[in-house]
Amino acid sequence: MNPANAFLREIPWLRRFARALCGSQMVADRQIEAVLVRARTEPDLMEGNGSPRVILFRAFCRVWRSMNGDDHLLQMLLPGDCRGPERILAAITPNARQAFLLSSLEGFSPPEVADILECSQIDVADLLRDARMQIAQQAATGVLIIEDKVAIAEHLKTAVEEMGHWVQGVTGTLSETRSVISELERFHLRPGIVLADVFLADGASGIDVVNDIMAHGDVPVILIGGLPHNAVAASLPKPMYMLRDPFSRESLGAAISQALFFQGSGTTIEF
């Protein structure tokens, strides 16, 4: 394949990433144009290790960092022009924002993110950790934990509280969950996010419990444990995040930050 054509095939994905990074498609396209113009006079900009997609994103990030004083998204934050996810992104430091979007939005692996940002994988891990902490600070919310195993429930409770969220309830059965939801509704409250085990002690499925909650309105859900087969997974409510058990504090933090940031996207993501 012609190298130029290989790069052109990746432009739509770069436009998506640049739009999220810059906060404006017009600004993003202007930045992409600057990269393509510079590539004509600086051939090494589009060279190096990696796939055409990695090379193109690396070139864009290198040019964007050189123009970091013109952070359009941050400038939007100051007069209060940012809304929803854009406001969260604007408050994340630029390098952490790049790492988070490359990993979460574009699906690059940690080694690929390191190649694109021209740093070590240790630096990438630190940047992603920073991004998740900053997202938690911006989007702190109430968490409903549906888990019948006391030790795991306590682990989840401690973890989410350390991330800056608060626990609205811990339940282990469908009836307990309905009771907590009813109590919250008395005060016009809803869970900001739900962490649910796949299998509960009373024989109920965490999926059934989640569907019961979703009947009252959409809420981001992280389903924890042995993952259901494809036929069941296809019928899961959206947005849905699936976290394999055993899970690490890092993977839980990644799932929560993405669920809060991408809520309403209608996607199912497995960690």
Side-chain angles (χ1 to χ4, degrees):
M1 179 184 293
N2 186 306
N5 290 337
F7 289 129
L8 288 175
R9 289 182 59 181
E10 304 299 337
I11 291 292
W13 312 117
L14 181 61
R15 292 187 74 227
R16 177 177 65 179
F17 167 75
R19 165 68 179 81
L21 184 67
C22 299
S24 160
Q25 193 64 69
M26 182 178 67
V27 173
D29 288 344
R30 192 162 62 235
Q31 297 262 11
I32 293 172
E33 183 179 1
V35 172
L36 299 179
V37 168
R38 280 183 57 172
R40 297 173 189 166
T41 57
E42 302 175 31
D44 62 331
L45 185 65
M46 303 295 285
E47 295 178 355
N49 298 326
S51 65
R53 190 166 185 240
V54 167
I55 292 172
L56 181 62
F57 275 71
R58 179 168 59 229
F60 177 86
C61 287
R62 186 183 298 174
V63 172
W64 187 79
R65 286 195 301 273
S66 72
M67 304 168 67
N68 202 26
D70 185 27
D71 188 347
H72 180 79
L73 193 56
L74 179 58
Q75 292 172 8
M76 290 172 62
L77 177 64
L78 300 178
D81 291 338
C82 290
R83 297 290 184 274
E86 287 183 345
R87 185 170 186 82
I88 295 174
L89 278 178
I92 301 176
T93 52
N95 288 344
R97 189 194 312 165
Q98 290 177 90
F100 176 75
L101 290 173
L102 288 169
S103 173
S104 302
L105 182 63
E106 298 304 329
F108 285 108
S109 67
E112 289 174 325
V113 176
D115 281 346
I116 292 170
L117 297 183
E118 301 176 283
C119 63
S120 71
Q121 291 189 51
I122 294 176
D123 291 334
V124 169
D126 288 341
L127 288 171
L128 290 175
R129 191 177 301 111
D130 288 347
R132 289 163 190 157
M133 288 178 60
Q134 293 175 60
I135 289 173
Q137 291 169 0
Q138 293 294 316
T141 190
V143 181
L144 174 60
I145 298 172
I146 306 171
E147 169 59 66
D148 63 309
K149 301 177 186 66
V150 176
I152 296 177
E154 188 60 33
H155 173 66
L156 289 170
K157 181 176 183 296
T158 300
V160 299
E161 288 177 344
E162 288 178 353
M163 293 173 197
H165 307 294
W166 62 93
V167 174
Q168 294 173 303
V170 179
T171 68
T173 65
L174 177 58
S175 60
E176 288 177 357
T177 303
R178 285 175 173 167
S179 177
V180 169
I181 293 295
S182 296
E183 187 65 19
L184 289 173
E185 288 180 342
R186 282 183 55 207
F187 298 96
H188 307 287
L189 297 174
R190 285 184 47 75
I193 189 168
V194 174
L195 308 181
D197 190 7
V198 175
F199 304 109
L200 301 177
D202 63 350
S205 162
I207 298 171
D208 295 333
V209 177
V210 167
N211 280 320
D212 193 68
I213 295 172
M214 298 287 270
H216 298 269
D218 289 344
V219 57
V221 173
I222 299 175
L223 197 64
I224 301 173
L227 302 183
H229 57 77
N230 291 338
V232 174
S235 66
L236 291 173
K238 306 295 188 300
M240 174 69 72
Y241 298 80
M242 295 186 283
L243 185 63
R244 289 186 179 275
D245 190 15
F247 57 88
S248 66
R249 185 73 63 94
E250 189 71 14
S251 61
L252 176 63
I256 290 176
S257 64
Q258 292 195 40
L260 291 174
F261 179 76
F262 292 110
Q263 60 180 301
S265 64
T267 56
T268 298
I269 298 178
E270 178 182 329
F271 291 85

